[in-house]
Amino acid sequence: MRRGHVRFPARAKAPLYLLAGAGITALSLRSVPDPFPSSGDLSLSAAERIRLEVEGIVRSSRALYAITYVIADYKFSLWGLERRPVDHHNKLLEVHLRSAQRLLKLCETNKGFYVKAGQFVSSLRQVPKEYSSTFSTLQDKAVPCPFEDIKEVIARNLGKNFTDLFYSFDEKPIAAASIAQVHHALLRDRQEVAVKVQYPGLQQQLTVDLRTMAVLSSFVSQIFPDYRLEWMVSEFKRTLSSELDFLQEAKNAERTARNFKTKKIIKVPHVFWDLTTKQVLTMQFFHGQKIDDVEFLKDSGIDPGKVAKTLVELFSEMIFIHGFVHGDPHPGNILVSPDGYQGFSLIILDHGIYRELDEEFRTDYCRLWKALVLMDSPTIHEIGGRFGLGQYAKYLPVIFTGRTLESKSNLGKQMPAEEKRELRRELLALKMGDISSFMESMPPDFLTVLRTDGQLRSIMGRLGAPARVRLLSYARFAACGLSSKHRNENAYLFDQIISGITTRASYLHLRFLLEILELLSRLESLGHSILVKVKWLLPRMAHFTNLSRRTLLADAQMI
């Protein structure tokens, strides 16, 4: 049999998948729990229910067909290659890319929930890069809703005539996402505001889609035990449910503003509560550009390196000290303004996805980063065990610092070629079931910080910031986060002073280690550079010496 990817006769299978889609939609509507039980009344009229079920059948049929195709492609394309790791790996990359492209078409066709799900997957560093890079195109592919529908949502939520609320309202959205779009407006007192409006009928549609995805993921896991996706559906449901409640988003924004009230370089838009509901959010409007717009930064005289340092310090404080983390720091949610006493300021937008870290997890995560910097293998394994990672704890240094526990490379530097080859051989031996087990074992808090860290590293890479900036920031705030000063505000002044000294000493120890490693790395590079130059110069010096000797002999003979 010639090996290749699977081809299904779509027309012949269409009635079967429509029937299956009908069954899945009916099952999801009636037997799967409501994913948004606290989001309001979802009671539907008979006509609305029929329309919803018909749309659900069509959308579920597409999803069922695409997912079945993808799973079959993996099974048949990789069949018989288990004993040949290199061939298996190369073929796996092909199937990854092919499957990602197929699922991208599904997201673009079904829109709504599926676009949001694709965006969620694109932000995960744990998924194959073929998926994350392919799905990254969905970040800017939301289709705006007609203004008349948006106007109706605003009127229904705010209960007033449009002209009574706003002096002017731009009908063309300045931003459109998968669940809402944002309009620029002026209040009656001429204040500039950004009005975020949830798409009409979105909650009902997402309820059906999410229930359908839960049923499909369960079916996939039963048929193919190695392909377990429930962890992803569960995490996505959690983030999506928080995004649908704009009142909660407003509270998140105000809490973040309080956490950084002393940091003038950080700005969070003010909330206009009298113009805010679960489906409409009105906030202060800020002018700025996406944080990864390097050309804008340079034209504005802003150092991209300083912007990167400020960004990573902001999120380091969120993670290691406050334990209240913005869960979606993609470039569109973080703007840079040339205004600010340091020459610029960061504007943090879209506060819908937040995670409040468990205090025990926050402390353990601080300890983990201190252990990663010091390469403290026993502590790394201990904390990995506390996180439920078991045998996979040994991969924590690879995930966060790019080196193995046995690595001989300096912190923040690339692994030597031999170490890379050894790690690649080890990873090739992992099966899909191992990867599923690893993802399932992660506590939700760990998944959040891992996802956030991946997005930060991506932005810092575009800004040209070296890895050392992130490592130093994490080391500093991990040391601060372990201090009792930040966990017990009622401590006596003497205890606070001692705690502050201890924290500073711990950080200086970590920083000293990083500086030494950096110096050794530079000396190594300098030594290599000098050696190369000496090797280039020696033969030329020998040639010049021989030439000079011959010239002197010739002159002597002439005398």
Side-chain angles (χ1 to χ4, degrees), residues 264-267 286-288 296 300 302 336-347:
K264 303 301 182 184
I265 200 169
I266 306 299
K267 294 182 180 180
F286 278 111
H287 294 271
F296 162 77
S300 303
I302 301 172
V336 178
S337 168
D339 301 326
Y341 76 100
Q342 291 187 18
F344 70 93
S345 57
L346 294 188
I347 303 161

Side-chain angles (χ1 to χ4, degrees), residues 72-351:
D73 195 3
Y74 273 100
K75 282 291 182 181
F76 286 106
S77 297
L78 302 176
W79 180 74
L81 296 178
E82 289 81 2
R83 296 183 180 181
R84 291 178 285 166
V86 175
D87 292 342
H88 182 276
H89 177 71
N90 292 337
K91 180 61 69 174
L92 182 63
L93 296 182
E94 293 178 13
V95 183
H96 280 337
L97 181 59
R98 200 159 57 229
S99 300
Q101 292 169 343
R102 175 166 292 278
L103 293 176
L104 175 64
K105 290 181 181 178
L106 171 67
C107 295
E108 292 173 335
T109 304
N110 275 2
K111 300 183 174 64
F113 162 86
Y114 292 85
V115 170
K116 191 67 183 175
Q119 292 172 344
F120 177 77
V121 172
S122 73
S123 68
L124 296 174
R125 293 182 60 246
Q126 303 92 317
V127 300
K129 65 178 181 180
E130 290 77 14
Y131 281 90
S132 57
S133 60
T134 300
F135 287 164
S136 65
T137 61
L138 292 171
Q139 293 292 349
D140 301 312
K141 281 200 173 181
V143 179
C145 185
F147 181 68
E148 286 304 314
D149 294 338
I150 293 297
K151 192 174 180 179
E152 183 180 335
V153 173
I154 294 175
R156 187 170 64 248
N157 277 266
L158 302 184
K160 292 184 179 181
N161 188 290
F162 226 63
T163 55
D164 294 336
L165 298 173
F166 303 101
Y167 175 77
S168 66
F169 197 100
D170 191 348
E171 297 186 7
K172 185 178 180 181
I174 56 176
S178 53
I179 68 169
Q181 62 191 51
V182 181
H183 291 260
H184 177 266
L186 292 178
L187 299 180
R188 300 300 302 175
D189 61 0
R190 307 302 193 271
Q191 287 190 78
E192 277 189 289
V193 293
V195 185
K196 184 176 180 180
V197 186
Q198 197 173 116
Y199 296 134
L202 174 76
Q203 192 168 293
Q204 291 86 346
Q205 184 187 75
L206 289 180
T207 297
V208 175
D209 286 342
L210 198 50
R211 285 171 165 175
T212 299
M213 190 58 65
V215 172
L216 285 174
S217 66
S218 178
F219 284 171
V220 168
S221 298
Q222 291 178 25
I223 298 172
F224 304 105
D226 286 346
Y227 294 80
R228 299 189 296 277
L229 305 175
E230 286 91 340
W231 67 269
M232 189 180 294
V233 175
S234 176
E235 179 65 15
F236 180 62
K237 180 176 71 175
R238 184 195 65 78
T239 59
L240 191 60
S241 62
S242 62
E243 272 197 284
L244 288 176
D245 186 353
F246 288 176
L247 289 174
Q248 184 59 51
E249 178 173 345
K251 292 175 184 177
N252 293 341
E254 289 199 333
R255 181 173 173 181
T256 300
R258 288 194 301 271
N259 286 344
F260 292 96
K261 62 183 178 182
T262 61
K263 304 286 176 61
K264 303 301 182 184
I265 200 169
I266 306 299
K267 294 182 180 180
V268 177
H270 168 73
V271 177
F272 292 85
W273 282 102
D274 56 332
L275 297 175
T276 295
T277 68
K278 282 192 173 184
Q279 293 181 312
V280 177
L281 173 60
T282 305
M283 303 186 79
Q284 177 185 6
F285 185 88
F286 278 111
H287 294 271
Q289 291 292 325
K290 288 183 178 182
I291 191 170
D292 63 347
D293 189 342
V294 178
E295 185 176 346
F296 162 77
L297 296 179
K298 292 180 177 179
D299 290 344
S300 303
I302 301 172
D303 182 0
K306 290 184 178 179
V307 172
K309 185 174 183 291
T310 304
L311 173 69
V312 75
E313 287 179 349
L314 162 67
F315 278 89
S316 296
E317 186 169 337
M318 281 186 175
I319 294 170
F320 294 103
I321 296 178
H322 303 310
F324 188 62
V325 186
H326 190 303
D328 193 22
H330 69 74
N333 288 340
I334 307 172
L335 306 183
V336 178
S337 168
D339 301 326
Y341 76 100
Q342 291 187 18
F344 70 93
S345 57
L346 294 188
I347 303 161
I348 313 302
L349 306 176
D350 199 345
H351 300 268

